[in-house]
Amino acid sequence: MASRSSKQPGRPDGPTSGSGRALVPSDADRKALVGRLTATIGQMTTATLAAMDERHPWFGELDAEHRSWISVVAQGGIDGFVQWVADDPTVAFDPANVFAAAPRALTRNITLHQTVDLMRTTIAVVEEQVQLLAEEEDRPVLQTAIVHYSREVAFAAAEVYARAAEVRGAWDARMEALVVDSIVRAEADESMVSRASTLGWRSGSKVFVAVGHVHEHGEDAISALRRHASKMRLEVLIAVQGDRLVLVASGPDVSDEAASIAAVEELSDYFGPGHVVIGPLVEDLVDSPRSARAAVSGLRASDAWPEGGRALPATELLPERVLAGDGHARRALARDVFEPLGAAGGDLLETCVSFLDHGCSVEATARALFVHANTVRYRIKRIQDVTGYSPTDARDAYVLRLAITLGRLAAIAR
C-alpha cells in the first residue's frame, strides 16, 4: 500500500484552499471527525430520500428502477462528502464519481434541472442533519465543508450532462445525415421515417427538399438556419454532402409551391452563393425522394441559367435538366406539356409550332394558317391555359419548343 506521503496524479502535495485538510489541518482530528460523520450516513440518506419524495412531485412519478438509481446517486453524494472531508492524499477524489454508479440512460430520463434539484435537496438535508446529529464543535467546520463540496458537485453535474449532450448531439448529427442521405439516394421507407422520428420529426404537413451550396461559415450558418426555421414553424432535417447543403422541410404554413419558395427565399442567406433549388411538394417524408431528385438535378443544371432567381423551383429548370441528361425532366416535359397540348385539339399544337416558327408574330402566323389574327391570339391564350406556358414569353417559348421536340421523339420511339 502506498504511504500517506506518496503523491497521487493530479493531487497537490499540500492542502488547497477549501479542502478537508485546509479546514481541519490535524490528521488525527480530521480522522476522528470523519468517523463521527460516517456514523450518520444511514440517517442522512434516509432523510434525503424522504425529502425528495416530499419536495419534488416528479420523484414520486418515476418508476421503481429510476427511483433506485437516484437513491444510489444520493448515497454517492453523501459518501462523497465524507470522502471529501477525509481528504486522504493517497486517495484521488473526483466529484464526478458521485454520478458514476448510475447508468448513462439516467441522463436521458432525468433532466439536468431535476439533477440540480436532487443535489440541492441532498446538500440541504445534509446541512439539516449536521445540525441535528453532529457534535456541536463539528458543526461550523462541516457547514463550511458543505459549501465547498456542493460547489464541486454542481460543476461535476454540469460536466456529466455536457458530455451526455455532446454524445447525444454527435449521435443526432450522424442519424440526421443518414436520414437525409436515404432521401437523396431514394431509399426512403418506413424505417427511415422511424429514424427521423427519433430526431423529433413529427410533421403531418407536406414536405419539400431544397438544395444549395454550403455557406462559407459552415456550422454557424447551419445553426442559424435551424433557429430561423424554428421561428417560421418549420420542421427541418439538414445535412452537408460535399459542397452542397440539403434541407428537408415541412410545416403547417407550407401548403403550396408558392409557400415553399417564399420559405426558401427567407432562409436563402444561410446557403452559399448560387441558386437554391426547390423540389416539388410531396405528401409526406416517404415521398420526399421525388422532391430531392428534382432539387439535386436542378442544382446540377442551374449554372446554365444564371438569370434565374436565387430561390428557384426545380420545375423552372426543366430545359436545363433535360440537356444535362435528366430523364425524369425529359419525360415531364413530354407528359405535362406536349401531350396536353396535342390532346386539347383546336389546332393548338399546330398554332404553337407555327407561332414559334414565325418569330412569335401573330400576323405572320395568321397568314400561314389562313386564319384571322384574333383566332391566333385566342389560341395562344388557350395554349397558356393548357400548358402553363405562354408562347409570347421568351423563356416559356424555349420550354414549349423543347417540349414539342421531346414529345415528337417520344412518339417516334413508341
Side-chain angles (χ1 to χ4, degrees):
M1 179 183 294
S3 67
R4 293 181 61 87
S5 61
S6 64
K7 182 181 178 182
Q8 289 288 321
R11 298 277 292 183
D13 289 321
T16 59
S17 175
S19 66
R21 282 181 289 160
L23 294 175
V24 185
S26 169
D27 287 346
D29 291 345
R30 193 169 63 257
K31 184 176 181 179
L33 173 61
V34 169
R36 294 190 293 272
L37 190 59
T38 301
T40 65
I41 286 178
Q43 293 167 277
M44 288 185 180
T45 302
T46 301
T48 297
L49 296 177
M52 287 292 298
D53 216 4
E54 178 184 346
R55 301 177 190 180
H56 305 296
W58 61 264
F59 182 73
E61 296 170 359
L62 296 174
D63 58 37
E65 180 181 4
H66 288 117
R67 285 170 62 94
S68 173
W69 281 118
I70 286 182
S71 301
V72 171
V73 173
Q75 175 77 58
I78 295 172
D79 290 343
F81 176 59
V82 175
Q83 185 182 1
W84 186 90
V85 173
D87 199 10
D88 187 343
T90 67
V91 179
F93 172 72
D94 183 355
N97 289 337
V98 170
F99 306 96
R104 184 177 300 176
L106 191 65
T107 59
R108 296 198 294 267
N109 293 278
I110 307 299
T111 68
L112 178 58
H113 178 74
Q114 290 170 334
T115 302
V116 171
D117 283 344
L118 164 64
M119 299 317 301
R120 182 185 291 122
T121 300
T122 301
I123 296 301
V125 171
V126 169
E127 287 182 310
E128 295 165 3
Q129 293 299 308
V130 162
Q131 296 299 321
L132 293 174
L133 304 175
E135 301 288 340
E136 187 172 351
E137 64 272 16
D138 294 340
R139 293 173 189 171
V141 171
L142 292 176
Q143 289 291 340
T144 303
I146 289 171
V147 172
H148 290 288
Y149 174 73
S150 62
R151 181 183 62 188
E152 293 196 31
V153 171
F155 281 118
E159 183 180 355
V160 167
Y161 275 81
R163 285 200 302 267
E166 185 176 353
V167 170
R168 173 71 185 188
W171 184 89
D172 282 354
R174 289 194 296 271
M175 181 63 72
E176 186 174 27
L178 286 172
V179 170
V180 174
D181 186 62
S182 295
I183 292 171
V184 172
R185 291 164 59 89
E187 297 174 353
D189 54 20
E190 290 303 327
S191 65
M192 182 275 295
V193 174
S194 176
R195 289 194 292 271
S197 69
T198 66
L199 298 170
W201 183 275
R202 296 289 183 272
S203 176
S205 307
K206 292 184 177 180
V207 180
F208 69 87
V209 178
V211 183
H213 296 292
V214 178
H215 195 282
E216 62 179 346
H217 291 147
E219 288 298 327
D220 290 340
I222 292 174
S223 298
L225 170 57
R226 293 186 193 278
R227 291 193 296 270
H228 198 148
S230 178
K231 292 178 183 177
M232 295 168 62
R233 301 200 302 164
L234 290 176
E235 289 192 64
V236 297
L237 298 169
I238 303 172
V240 174
Q241 298 184 334
D243 66 343
R244 83 187 170 201
L245 180 63
V246 181
L247 168 71
V248 182
S250 177
D253 300 326
V254 182
S255 57
D256 53 29
E257 185 179 89
S260 67
I261 296 171
V264 173
E265 285 176 342
E266 188 168 342
L267 296 171
S268 62
D269 287 345
Y270 307 109
F271 287 81
H275 298 295
V276 182
V277 181
I278 308 142
L281 278 174
V282 294
E283 290 302 319
D284 51 40
L285 201 60
V286 173
D287 295 327
S288 59
R290 181 161 58 88
S291 182
R293 180 178 60 234
V296 170
S297 171
L299 182 66
R300 189 181 301 119
S302 63
D303 286 344
W305 190 32
E307 298 81 10
R310 167 74 161 153
L312 198 57
T315 51
E316 292 190 14
L317 286 160
L318 283 173
E320 288 75 20
R321 290 166 55 194
V322 168
L323 295 175
D326 185 345
H328 294 283
R330 183 177 66 251
R331 288 187 289 273
L333 277 181
R335 180 186 66 245
D336 301 335
V337 179
F338 175 77
E339 291 179 6
L341 197 58
D347 296 321
L348 294 188
L349 179 57
E350 181 186 8
T351 300
C352 185
V353 172
S354 181
F355 185 74
L356 297 175
D357 286 345
H358 289 88
C360 299
S361 169
V362 172
E363 289 73 15
T365 303
R367 289 193 297 270
L369 297 176
F370 302 103
V371 297
H372 194 277
N374 285 340
T375 301
V376 174
R377 293 186 181 96
Y378 170 76
R379 291 177 181 176
I380 288 172
K381 185 178 182 304
R382 286 278 296 134
I383 291 169
Q384 183 174 6
D385 292 339
V386 169
T387 66
Y389 297 95
S390 171
T392 60
D393 178 85
R395 174 72 183 179
D396 287 2
Y398 173 48
V399 176
L400 287 165
R401 173 67 79 184
L402 187 58
I404 291 169
T405 302
L406 293 169
R408 287 170 169 172
L409 290 173
I412 294 171
R414 289 197 293 267

